[in-house]
Amino acid sequence: MPTYCASKAALHSYTQSLRWQLRETQVDVLEIIPPYVQTELGGPSQAVDPRAMPLKDFIAETMEIMQSQPEAREICVEKGQGSAVCRGEW
């Protein structure tokens, strides 16, 4: 778990840095922050874990936010909590 958490933090920091570095270009850097999702990344049991968000629901919610709020730069999807959209400064 520590490696997973560190990897997520590193990726978040990288996307912020990249967004800042590209702020005066036509490139948009979008960060999608998923919850615990039903996939087989953690093994076959994760794909059916009721605590995890179904993959189709995650994809549908993410796509809806991207279409309805194209200015969003950070999308944090949370199972059963509604989603937070961070527009960012850059």
Side-chain angles (χ1 to χ4, degrees):
M1 189 60 130
T3 303
Y4 174 77
C5 293
S7 298
K8 284 186 81 164
L11 187 57
H12 176 66
S13 179
Y14 176 74
T15 58
Q16 287 183 320
S17 297
L18 191 59
R19 188 177 300 121
W20 175 256
Q21 195 171 30
L22 298 173
R23 70 189 179 284
E24 295 177 4
T25 72
Q26 295 294 315
V27 177
D28 287 331
V29 178
L30 176 63
E31 179 180 9
I32 300 172
I33 307 162
Y36 180 47
V37 178
Q38 289 178 345
T39 67
E40 291 191 5
L41 289 174
S45 62
Q46 182 180 335
V48 295
D49 189 338
R51 298 170 299 169
M53 183 179 211
L55 180 59
K56 65 179 178 61
D57 294 347
F58 167 70
I59 292 170
E61 188 168 340
T62 301
M63 295 306 294
E64 190 278 321
I65 292 169
M66 290 175 67
Q67 291 171 350
S68 66
Q69 300 178 52
E71 73 284 354
R73 297 297 165 255
E74 295 177 4
I75 300 171
C76 182
V77 178
E78 298 178 355
K79 181 183 180 203
Q81 302 293 319
S83 295
V85 177
C86 302
R87 285 168 181 75
E89 300 277 330
W90 327 297

